[in-house]
């Protein structure tokens, strides 16, 4: 059995939820390994639309264990809300497992996220406001609180006292706001703990057992390569490693156990929040893509910035993730555009730049033109039935990035895809 990773190749929202849910049909275990409820993954099954933030998209299959690995940061209230929402819709959560060493998002993380963005003003990151940066900061600074500590009232109190001692000083002295009250926080968290408690285990053991029994594990990435703390458009990134390497440290599995890395790629590009976006179209094309592709954030509702596909950026994603194949989503959104542009390199100060640069500000994209197609492709399930110009677009991308496109999304529904396998 092959263990597979699904990773976003761009700035998130590539369609990882849909692709995971589609491909996880054959998997035995589905695992999230990074990020938190900054993610918003959509799965459309017939007339039912599910928007998942923390819980893996595999939960929609009743029989598969789904894991929130240690690399995920968990806001207990948000998790409980998501669990209750799914239960109300008849989804069974007996198969949900949460790592005992995953870090917990606390109210001061959410508050600091907001205050820091306000302090930065025009230079803000444009975060989701879910406390993600501050909780990972605490993890690395070795003052975080893990799920296991949350379960023990005495330990939780001690850890929280230590953490609040630090954070209240920062809140008062740096940001000039009121300190937080420990009893209020404890009361707020007490109610969620009991709902989550039965799901908390050593998830690395579950993953190890699955490997030993030759089961297929599917790792569902959140965010995207260009939001990675190392390989993204720093500092306009998230605070974790959504790239494939994050699976090993974020789930507790060795690199030798990974067989395939599937890069989910939108047929054009989007970004939410601030930061460089060389192929962005702040014009009618951008508006067309936003409206036709319903490009509004699942987590924050913000309009997504839209632009053309960027090949050097994709080659960067192939390189740092070791992609073995691409799942290209939203090809249907390009239908009706007479001309499609694809960025093949950049120019800066009269010089050609072939590779995605560490500083992507002030570079100008160099485009290659492709002819579009008019035919509705949403009901096509066979590759050979796609319009010739659509096939030419796909085959040119494959050739330029050097990785095969195996899945092609032609609509939001789980079944609306061409699977070349
Ligand atoms: P994720 O964060 O990577 O899981 O992606 P999101 O769910 O945030 O955003 C992707 C959006 O595109 C969702 O609304 C999906 O339902 C939708 N989507 C996914 N694949 C396709 C596709 O092939 N065609 C169309 N039209 N929509 C798609
Ligand atoms: P999914 O999994 C798109 C972006 C935010 C912001 C930056 C930092 O749905 O693809 P953070 O709250 O993480 O500190 O914000 O990262 N961002 C995402 N953009 N999709 C996501 O997740 C994102 N998660 C974070 O908009 O620019
Ligand atoms: Mg999303």
């Amino acid at each position: 059995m092959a263990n597979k990773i699904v990773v976003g190749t761009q700035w998130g929202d590539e369609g990882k939820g849909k692709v995971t849910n589609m491909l996880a049909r054959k998997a035995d275990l589905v695992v999230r390994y990074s990020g938190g409820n900054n993610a918003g993954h959509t799965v459309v099954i017939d007339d039912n639309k599910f928007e998942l933030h923390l819980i893996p998209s595999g939960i929609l299959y009743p029989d598969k264990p789904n894991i929130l690995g240690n690399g995920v940061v968990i806001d207990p209230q948000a998790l409980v809300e998501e669990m209750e929402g799914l239960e109300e819709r008849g989804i069974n959560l007996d198969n949900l497992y949460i790592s005992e060493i995953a870090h917990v998002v606390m109210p001061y993380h959410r508050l600091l996220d907001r205050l820091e963005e306000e302090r930065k003003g025009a230079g803000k990151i444009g975060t989701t406001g879910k406390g993600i940066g501050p909780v990972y900061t605490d993890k690395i600074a070795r003052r975080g609180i893990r799920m296991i500590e949350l379960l023990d009232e005495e330990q939780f109190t001690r850890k929280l006292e230590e953490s609040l001692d630090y954070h209240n000083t920062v809140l008062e002295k740096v940001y000039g706001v009121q300190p937080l009250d420990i009893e209020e926080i404890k009361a707020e968290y007490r109610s969620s703990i009991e709902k989550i408690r039965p799901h908390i285990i050593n998830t690395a053991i579950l993953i190890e057992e699955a490997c030993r029994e030759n089961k297929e594990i599917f790792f569902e990435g959140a965010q995207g390569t260009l939001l990675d703390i190392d390989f993204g458009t720093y500092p306009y990134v998230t605070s974790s490693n959504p790239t494939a390497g994050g699976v090993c440290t974020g789930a507790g599995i060795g690199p030798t156990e990974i067989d395939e890395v599937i890069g989910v790629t939108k047929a054009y590009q989007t970004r939410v929040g601030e930061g460089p976006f060389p192929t962005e179209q702040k014009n009618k094309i951008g508006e067309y893509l936003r409206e036709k592709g319903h490009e509004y954030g699942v987590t924050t509702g913000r309009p997504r910035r839209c632009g053309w596909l960027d090949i050097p950026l994709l080659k960067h994603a192939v390189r740092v993730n070791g992609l073995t194949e691409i799942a290209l989503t939203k090809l249907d959104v390009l239908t009706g555009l007479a001309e499609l542009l694809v960025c093949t390199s950049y120019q800066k100060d009269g010089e050609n730049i072939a590779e995605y640069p560490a500083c992507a500000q002030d570079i100008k994209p160099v485009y290659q033109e492709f002819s579009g197609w008019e035919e509705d492709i949403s009901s096509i399930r066979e590759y050979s039935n796609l319009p010739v110009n659509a096939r030419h677009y796909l085959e040119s991308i494959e050739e330029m990035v050097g990785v095969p496109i195996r899945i092609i999304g032609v609509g939001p529904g789980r079944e609306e895809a061409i699977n070349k396998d």
Side-chain angles (χ1 to χ4, degrees):
M1 283 285 190
N3 294 333
K4 299 174 183 162
I5 306 175
V6 148
V7 69
T9 61
Q10 296 153 332
W11 282 289
D13 303 329
E14 298 91 348
K16 299 174 294 294
K18 173 188 157 169
V19 172
T20 299
N21 189 265
M22 237 179 94
L23 297 183
R25 198 190 307 255
K26 283 194 268 162
D28 298 295
L29 211 64
V30 185
V31 184
R32 269 276 306 267
Y33 60 90
S34 73
N37 60 328
N38 49 348
H41 295 183
T42 317
V43 182
V44 180
I45 305 172
D46 304 323
D47 291 334
N48 296 309
K49 183 170 166 179
F50 294 90
E51 290 179 346
L52 298 148
H53 297 280
L54 276 163
I55 300 177
S57 307
I59 202 72
L60 304 175
Y61 293 103
D63 55 338
K64 295 185 201 302
N66 277 254
I67 292 178
L68 288 175
N70 57 282
V72 179
V73 286
I74 299 171
D75 184 328
Q77 275 97 332
L79 178 60
V80 166
E81 225 172 85
E82 193 169 329
M83 288 169 76
E84 287 173 350
L86 287 170
E87 280 170 336
E88 274 166 27
R89 296 177 73 178
I91 307 296
N92 179 8
L93 297 179
D94 291 347
N95 270 328
L96 178 67
Y97 299 96
I98 302 164
S99 168
E100 60 188 4
I101 55 169
H103 279 244
V104 183
V105 179
M106 303 298 298
Y108 41 83
H109 294 135
R110 289 192 301 263
L111 180 58
L112 283 166
D113 196 352
R114 181 169 64 74
L115 291 170
E116 189 52 18
E117 285 283 89
E118 279 169 16
R119 192 189 66 80
K120 286 195 170 109
K124 69 175 194 243
I125 306 289
T127 72
T128 58
K130 304 293 180 189
I132 304 299
V135 68
Y136 279 116
T137 302
D138 272 4
K139 177 177 178 177
I140 300 299
R142 296 166 292 190
R143 55 169 178 260
I145 299 178
R146 303 173 302 171
M147 295 309 287
I148 188 100
E149 280 119 23
L150 197 65
L151 297 185
D152 181 315
E153 172 93 24
E154 216 172 282
Q155 273 208 66
F156 181 46
T157 304
R158 191 167 47 77
K159 281 273 180 183
L160 188 56
E161 274 168 359
E162 279 170 22
S163 190
L164 263 191
D165 190 37
Y166 172 83
H167 285 294
N168 274 340
T169 311
V170 173
L171 287 171
E172 282 183 285
K173 301 262 162 60
V174 178
Y175 297 100
V177 299
Q178 288 291 314
L180 298 181
D181 180 68
I182 189 162
E183 292 310 324
E184 270 179 38
I185 298 179
K186 280 171 67 179
E188 194 184 322
Y189 276 62
R190 208 168 281 132
S191 60
S192 351
I193 292 170
E194 292 321 310
K195 172 95 181 156
I196 298 174
R197 186 187 295 276
H199 300 272
I200 299 177
I201 60 161
N202 182 336
T203 50
I205 292 180
L206 208 60
I207 291 173
E208 185 194 24
E209 278 169 6
C211 288
R212 207 179 306 127
E213 290 165 18
N214 215 18
K215 289 186 170 164
E216 181 168 316
I217 312 174
F218 205 92
F219 296 94
E220 175 177 1
Q223 287 79 55
T225 303
L226 274 293
L227 289 172
D228 186 276
I229 187 78
D230 287 285
F231 294 108
T233 44
Y234 193 88
Y236 300 98
V237 292
T238 192
S239 297
S240 66
N241 286 117
T243 42
V247 166
C248 294
T249 51
I253 187 169
T256 48
E257 299 286 356
I258 309 297
D259 302 284
E260 291 173 28
V261 187
I262 303 160
V264 185
T265 303
K266 216 174 260 188
Y268 48 98
Q269 275 176 196
T270 62
R271 168 163 214 169
V272 223
E274 309 302 317
F277 183 170
T279 62
E280 182 171 15
Q281 297 298 299
K282 291 183 184 167
N283 53 28
K284 286 222 151 46
I285 293 287
E287 282 160 31
Y288 178 92
L289 294 171
R290 184 174 311 114
E291 292 318 311
K292 187 142 185 239
H294 306 290
E295 297 295 357
Y296 294 89
V298 177
T299 301
T300 58
R302 291 178 290 177
R304 295 173 181 153
R305 300 156 63 192
C306 299
W308 297 118
L309 199 69
D310 185 331
I311 298 295
L313 179 150
L314 278 186
K315 283 160 74 181
H316 170 72
V318 169
R319 186 183 306 130
V320 302
N321 291 296
L323 295 189
T324 52
E325 65 182 85
I326 284 177
L328 194 107
T329 58
K330 301 192 118 169
L331 188 67
D332 54 301
V333 176
L334 298 182
T335 301
L337 287 169
E339 177 191 74
L340 307 173
L341 299 189
V342 170
C343 165
T344 52
S345 65
Y346 317 100
Q347 286 247 309
K348 189 174 183 182
D349 303 328
E351 269 186 47
N352 200 53
I353 303 172
E355 304 294 349
Y356 200 82
C359 296
Q361 276 96 346
D362 308 325
I363 53 171
K364 282 205 168 61
V366 176
Y367 289 113
Q368 184 175 334
E369 272 179 37
F370 290 86
S371 299
W373 57 91
E374 288 289 332
E375 301 91 319
D376 179 1
I377 60 169
S378 57
S379 54
I380 295 179
R381 300 290 175 267
E382 284 292 326
Y383 184 75
S384 56
N385 292 339
L386 279 174
V388 62
N389 286 349
R391 276 183 281 141
H392 180 59
Y393 183 71
L394 296 170
E395 285 158 25
S396 305
I397 296 167
E398 281 182 323
E399 198 174 310
M400 288 188 275
V401 301
V403 174
I405 298 172
R406 292 250 154 258
I407 290 161
I408 298 140
V410 292
R414 178 162 71 176
E415 312 303 330
E416 288 179 301
I418 296 167
N419 196 333
K420 278 174 112 181
D421 295 325

